[in-house]
Amino acid sequence: MLRSDQILATVEMIQKENLDVRTVTMGISLLDCRGGDVEQTCKKIHSRIIDYAGNFVATCDTISKKYGIPVVNKRIAVTPIAFVGAGFFREDFVRIAQTLDQAAKDVGVDILGGFSAQVEKGMTNTDLEFIASIPEALARTERVCSSINIGSTQKGINMDALAMMGKTIKDLAEITADQGGFAAAKFVVFCNQPGDNPFMAGAIHGLEEADAVLNVGVSGPGVIARALERLIEKHPEPGTLRLDELAEEIKQTTFRVTRCGELIGRAVSKSLGIEFGVVDLSLAPTPTVGDSVGEIFKILGVDAIGAPGTTAILAMLNDAVKKGGIFASKTVGGLSGAFIPVMEDAMLAEAVGDGSLCLEKLEAMTCVCSVGLDMIAIPGSVDADTISAIIADEMALGLINAKTTAARLIPVPGKEVGDSVSFGGLFGASPIMPIRNIGKSSRFIAWGGRMPAPIHSFKN
Amino acid sequence: MRKEMIISVMSKDRPGIISDITGAIYRLGGDVADLNQTVLRGYLTMILSASFEPEVTKEDLLAAISHIKTSCKFEVSIKELSPSQLEEEAGPPEETYILTVQGPNKSGIVHGISLFCFTHNINIFDLATTLRDGQYTMALQLDLKHCISSLAKLQQELEEYSQQSGLTIMMQHNDIFQVTNEIALH
């Protein structure tokens, strides 16, 4: 048997620090579900999802009970729908979104991702029809999430698609104005989108994947925060604890957290007879008190989130999480880094409210972590071109640094700086983030065309 | 077929005990398989299994050990395993759980917990307890294969026991502790 102190360290992590597996996401290929017309296609999609995921939620719950570790979210990701529905029109895609929504409901999952297209180099007619369907599709469904990949380090950025993104986001917000523009919270724009990310709203089942696969997202900012606090408490004398020791603590804690995710994921995968994919090593906060990434900044030494030093702390945090997790897991993938979704993290949202955290600082922070400008509520009056230009800056970071970046912005209709918005549950709440230099980027967005791939992408 | 024996030895601890005991076994042509030993407050206890040619008896082994020159006499007990015992499945089954119990020291903690296990037909594979700064900690490895309660009911009963006794009690699957503490991923 193990030593008592090792046993107690694990018990502490589970009992006091609310260790959980944040998400188990089943990826399902729908590539062969295209029928002669949209009705046939919808029928095939529905039965495919029921076939694979019928026992998914019950199995996750059984395994979770056996091990005594909660699996917070059970989700489904599907093949990007623009590929599945090649040749269909706008209204057909809305119909497919409704089918996906119904299938998700029937198998008991709260969110399904993959109402998506990949247009980093060019757009087909289908892609154009698909993009046009997004506002209505998300407004008429409850559980469907959408994402568009508009750039990659290999191909550059599709600036025509980029220009459409600002408008799509505005439409999404306005069509759900009575819910604070909530549909925009279910839509994310990517550069270098991974095909095996289990986290929403950006989960898809990539074209490179097998028929079905299970990916696991571990999280645990709360576990990391408590471990750091304990270590700091043990060293009350100044100068007795250095930053590298704090990094080591994060690394070791992540190792344990990741191992639990891997154990649960593989058990679910074995039980369902579906291949295990990857563990995504991300620190993903929730609005729950004590489950904040923002809190870790304060523990590590800045008195306000966004103060100088915040980016450096995030860089270290992100790196230590990867180092601990990569050794713990057989296969790592997805986004794997710290998330800073403002609305979903109570302390980040508070920092926006008191003015210590601004958009530009968040942009800098996304250079050193995954995934991007995430869940940021902005004034409803910000124009589509300014939104596209904010996204362009974020995409450029991903393009040049060969990493995933994303933007999920919510222009809350009728709200301005000083107001706040709440979506409730996991989507959280936040004051409206001020945006500077509104309406000054339209000439740039109007160029269209492509931003070429960077020189370091030419490696052949 | 070789004969399997289980040998238990207790003695005041000193260098050379394992060498003495395994030497006696070796001279009888025995082959040591599993061995576990621990030292508590200066006393050593050891349990080991060894196989011998069929003609070697436990009396021969007892005699060989008693001839060892030692300042503190060995207390020895030997059992021969029957063929049916040898066929029993070895290794921990799927239903191995770790129970941890923590609380201020008082009489009867170990008895209370072990009685709880017994009344639920739970076998204790392994048990370690420590007393530090008035806090008593127990870590038990349990076999729930024949437990009379379902896992959910057992967790609930442990919760009730925890409230009555004022002890902090947690039970988690053995695999959790393995994966979070061992390098290899099984």
Side-chain angles (χ1 to χ4, degrees):
Chain A
M1 195 165 73
L2 298 158
R3 292 200 320 264
S4 298
D5 58 332
Q6 293 173 320
I7 289 174
L8 293 177
T10 303
V11 165
E12 198 136 295
M13 185 170 86
I14 295 167
Q15 188 186 27
K16 296 190 184 157
E17 297 158 6
N18 305 321
L19 173 80
D20 57 42
V21 172
R22 189 50 48 90
T23 182
V24 177
T25 302
M26 182 187 285
I28 303 174
S29 172
L30 302 180
L31 272 177
D32 58 350
C33 289
R34 177 68 157 86
D37 59 26
V38 70
E39 286 314 314
Q40 261 183 15
T41 306
C42 287
K43 216 171 147 192
K44 285 187 178 184
I45 288 175
H46 188 268
S47 65
R48 173 65 50 85
I49 291 173
I50 305 288
D51 282 353
Y52 275 111
N55 290 325
F56 175 47
V57 173
T59 307
C60 286
D61 290 345
T62 307
I63 304 282
S64 158
K65 277 197 194 102
K66 174 179 171 185
Y67 289 109
I69 294 182
V71 175
V72 181
N73 299 308
K74 279 76 76 175
R75 277 143 182 198
I76 291 175
V78 297
T79 309
I81 289 298
F83 292 118
V84 180
F88 284 154
F89 297 99
R90 186 183 158 281
E91 58 273 23
D92 300 330
F93 284 116
V94 174
R95 178 79 191 85
I96 292 176
Q98 289 173 309
T99 303
L100 292 171
D101 199 41
Q102 187 60 46
K105 195 175 174 194
D106 292 344
V107 299
V109 303
D110 62 341
I111 297 183
L112 178 149
F115 194 71
S116 305
Q118 295 182 319
V119 296
E120 60 267 34
K121 196 168 178 196
M123 289 181 283
T124 60
N125 275 332
T126 303
D127 292 327
L128 292 169
E129 292 287 331
F130 174 78
I131 291 170
S133 80
I134 292 172
E136 194 184 341
L138 294 197
R140 288 173 66 169
T141 55
E142 228 183 287
R143 297 162 197 245
V144 175
C145 280
S146 177
S147 54
I148 304 282
N149 192 60
I150 62 161
S152 73
T153 301
Q154 283 296 318
K155 304 294 175 199
I157 299 173
N158 181 339
M159 296 300 285
D160 294 321
L162 175 85
M164 296 167 78
M165 294 300 102
K167 191 173 176 316
T168 305
I169 289 168
K170 289 286 282 183
D171 290 348
L172 279 162
E174 271 151 27
I175 203 169
T176 49
D178 56 338
Q179 301 165 57
F182 179 58
K186 298 188 285 181
F187 177 69
V188 54
V189 184
F190 273 97
C191 178
N192 294 321
Q193 181 178 26
D196 54 4
N197 151 39
F199 288 102
M200 295 296 172
I204 55 168
H205 183 70
L207 292 182
E208 70 280 15
E209 299 284 335
D211 280 335
V213 70
L214 271 186
N215 296 318
V216 167
V218 297
S219 179
V223 180
I224 304 267
R226 300 292 87 73
L228 289 173
E229 278 174 348
R230 243 195 336 268
L231 185 66
I232 291 166
E233 251 171 51
K234 280 187 201 156
H235 297 80
E237 295 297 317
T240 54
L241 185 63
R242 317 277 285 196
L243 201 56
D244 44 353
E245 290 164 82
L246 290 159
E248 183 61 22
E249 183 69 22
I250 296 168
K251 198 171 93 182
Q252 288 188 18
T253 308
T254 312
F255 175 88
R256 292 172 194 268
V257 172
T258 306
R259 273 291 171 83
C260 291
E262 177 112 2
L263 176 71
I264 304 273
R266 288 192 183 272
V268 174
S269 146
K270 195 174 162 198
S271 182
L272 288 171
I274 287 177
E275 190 191 340
F276 184 77
V278 300
V279 175
D280 186 317
L281 315 165
S282 290
L283 286 186
T286 64
T288 313
V289 174
D291 202 22
S292 158
V293 170
E295 186 186 9
I296 300 175
F297 296 118
K298 289 196 171 177
I299 292 170
L300 287 175
V302 289
D303 298 331
I305 300 166
T310 305
T311 310
I313 289 174
L314 184 56
M316 184 191 83
L317 175 66
N318 203 48
D319 181 64
V321 165
K322 283 189 212 282
K323 284 172 179 162
I326 280 175
F327 184 56
S329 171
K330 282 182 183 163
T331 44
V332 170
L335 299 165
S336 288
F339 293 177
I340 44 172
V342 174
M343 290 188 69
E344 294 172 6
D345 187 311
M347 292 189 72
L348 291 178
E350 193 186 301
V352 169
D354 66 27
S356 54
L357 184 59
C358 65
L359 186 77
E360 289 74 10
K361 187 64 179 178
L362 273 169
E363 189 182 306
M365 288 161 73
T366 65
C367 297
V368 298
C369 78
S370 64
V371 67
L373 295 172
D374 197 13
M375 286 301 281
I376 300 175
I378 61 174
S381 58
V382 177
D383 62 290
D385 285 351
T386 301
I387 293 174
S388 286
I390 294 170
I391 297 172
D393 286 343
E394 191 58 33
M395 298 296 105
L397 294 179
L399 178 83
I400 297 297
N401 295 308
K403 72 187 280 294
T404 303
T405 50
R408 189 158 46 142
L409 305 170
I410 304 114
V412 185
K415 296 274 174 95
E416 292 301 323
V417 174
D419 297 331
S420 60
V421 64
S422 171
F423 295 140
L426 285 174
F427 288 92
S430 166
I432 305 293
M433 168 81 86
I435 303 293
R436 276 178 270 203
N437 296 313
I438 294 170
K440 294 180 180 164
S441 313
S442 295
R443 281 190 301 113
F444 169 61
I445 296 304
W447 293 120
R450 287 164 59 197
M451 185 179 289
I455 181 72
H456 56 256
S457 72
F458 294 93
K459 289 183 177 168
N460 286 336
Chain B
M1 192 176 149
R2 284 169 74 88
K3 176 190 283 179
E4 186 108 3
M5 293 194 214
I6 299 290
I7 305 130
S8 139
V9 180
M10 185 171 130
S11 162
K12 194 164 177 22
D13 193 27
R14 62 163 174 85
I17 296 177
I18 296 180
S19 161
D20 286 345
I21 300 290
T22 53
I25 292 170
Y26 176 67
R27 281 187 290 278
L28 284 170
D31 184 17
V32 174
D34 298 333
L35 188 154
N36 256 306
Q37 71 124 74
T38 188
V39 177
L40 191 73
R41 307 239 165 144
Y43 276 84
L44 172 141
T45 175
M46 164 165 61
I47 184 163
L48 61 105
S49 75
S51 61
F52 298 87
E53 290 301 327
E55 59 274 15
V56 179
T57 65
K58 63 179 187 179
E59 287 74 20
D60 295 338
L61 181 58
L62 202 56
I65 294 174
S66 61
H67 284 127
I68 296 167
K69 288 192 174 61
T70 176
S71 54
C72 176
K73 200 171 151 286
F74 295 131
E75 290 171 38
V76 182
S77 169
I78 303 173
K79 304 280 177 217
E80 277 185 31
L81 289 186
S82 64
S84 65
Q85 281 173 300
L86 287 173
E87 281 167 15
E88 276 182 20
E89 194 195 345
E94 250 303 80
E95 297 87 356
T96 305
Y97 279 74
I98 301 281
L99 184 76
T100 54
V101 180
Q102 291 171 284
N105 189 29
K106 60 180 179 186
S107 296
I109 296 180
V110 178
H111 173 64
I113 295 290
S114 53
L115 184 63
F116 179 92
C117 292
F118 174 63
T119 54
H120 289 80
N121 204 23
I122 295 169
N123 193 23
I124 302 173
F125 276 145
D126 207 342
L127 163 63
T129 74
T130 47
L131 176 62
R132 190 169 300 149
D133 305 328
Q135 281 287 310
Y136 202 72
T137 304
M138 285 174 79
L140 303 92
Q141 195 179 32
L142 306 177
D143 174 15
L144 301 192
K145 199 169 31 176
H146 303 297
C147 176
I148 52 169
S149 298
S150 68
L151 187 58
K153 182 140 187 291
L154 188 63
Q155 291 282 19
Q156 191 194 330
E157 288 175 53
L158 278 171
E159 173 71 38
E160 285 161 15
Y161 188 91
S162 165
Q163 278 170 8
Q164 284 162 17
S165 62
L167 297 164
T168 308
I169 301 177
M170 279 276 288
M171 191 180 74
Q172 296 282 149
H173 199 281
N174 190 63
D175 290 355
I176 301 275
F177 297 90
Q178 274 195 321
V179 297
T180 52
N181 288 288
E182 292 180 0
I183 297 286
L185 186 60
H186 301 290

